Amino acid sequence: MPIRLLILSAVTLLWPIFLHASDIVGPIAVWQDDPCTTASILWIEPHGAEHPAAAAVEVKPEGGVGMPVATAANRLEKSKHAVHRAKLSGLKPGTVHTVEVRQGGKNAVAIRFRTASDIFSPNLRFVTGGDMYHKREWLDAMNARAGAEDPVFALLGGDLAYANNSNPKRWLEWV
């Protein structure tokens, strides 16, 4: 499934924790199903479309044991980039999870996110937007402002990166 369709479903505002530099862009977490118990982790491997590097993903709930997760990869639009994804399920609601992505046999990056609570709160906060990447400085300012609201998730739609199926580098910058 193209990255655009996954991101359009619903995206959470996450602040990835990079363990050290690598040859991947991301990861980000997106939701297509129940945000209490599922998530999809996406990352881009620049110039990896022809021969994507083997990826290993492990998800670990806070205070729990890590479990391996299967991955898949597809070409990003008309580019040489590979979009990797790992679909997570059976997650515990309202829990911080750490996902480690190892690509090419080394720890590449990790991301932490919290699943949505399965108990409704009248104080639930989220942000929404779209058509968002005109200029990098505007995007950065918008993300900082949205993050300051401490949302549970972000719902994003429209032409997110303005890649127009002809400029895949914009997706690398947007992610």
Side-chain angles (χ1 to χ4, degrees):
M1 182 178 290
I3 191 171
R4 182 176 291 161
L5 293 177
L6 291 172
I7 292 174
L8 291 177
S9 301
V11 178
T12 189
L13 282 180
L14 298 173
W15 310 125
I17 300 170
F18 294 96
L19 295 178
H20 60 276
S22 67
D23 293 329
I24 67 174
V25 177
I28 62 173
V30 301
W31 278 263
Q32 299 167 273
D33 297 311
D34 183 351
C36 299
T37 59
T38 68
S40 291
I41 306 300
L42 303 175
W43 67 96
I44 300 172
E45 176 188 4
H47 308 291
E50 295 301 321
H51 303 287
V57 172
E58 182 178 90
V59 60
K60 179 179 174 184
E62 191 171 58
V65 176
M67 300 291 294
V69 180
T71 66
N74 293 88
R75 182 183 296 269
L76 172 63
E77 295 180 343
K78 297 176 182 175
S79 76
K80 296 180 180 180
H81 311 316
V83 177
H84 294 261
R85 70 187 171 287
K87 292 184 178 183
L88 313 178
S89 61
L91 303 176
K92 186 176 178 184
T95 301
V96 173
H97 294 80
T98 300
V99 177
E100 291 183 359
V101 176
R102 290 179 297 283
Q103 195 156 317
K106 59 184 174 186
N107 269 350
V109 293
I111 184 174
R112 289 174 33 120
F113 67 91
R114 179 183 303 275
T115 48
S117 174
D118 57 355
I119 300 170
F120 176 74
S121 168
N123 298 322
L124 176 74
R125 272 191 224 161
F126 69 95
V127 293
T128 186
D131 291 349
M132 57 196 301
Y133 188 10
H134 298 279
K135 293 182 181 179
R136 179 62 189 259
E137 47 280 358
W138 294 356
L139 178 65
D140 291 344
M142 181 203 60
N143 285 339
R145 178 64 180 102
E149 293 297 319
D150 194 26
V152 172
F153 68 93
L155 177 63
L156 305 176
D159 194 345
L160 302 177
Y162 282 95
N164 299 320
N165 207 20
S166 63
N167 187 357
K169 279 183 136 180
R170 291 200 50 100
W171 278 114
L172 298 179
E173 294 167 8
W174 185 86
V175 170

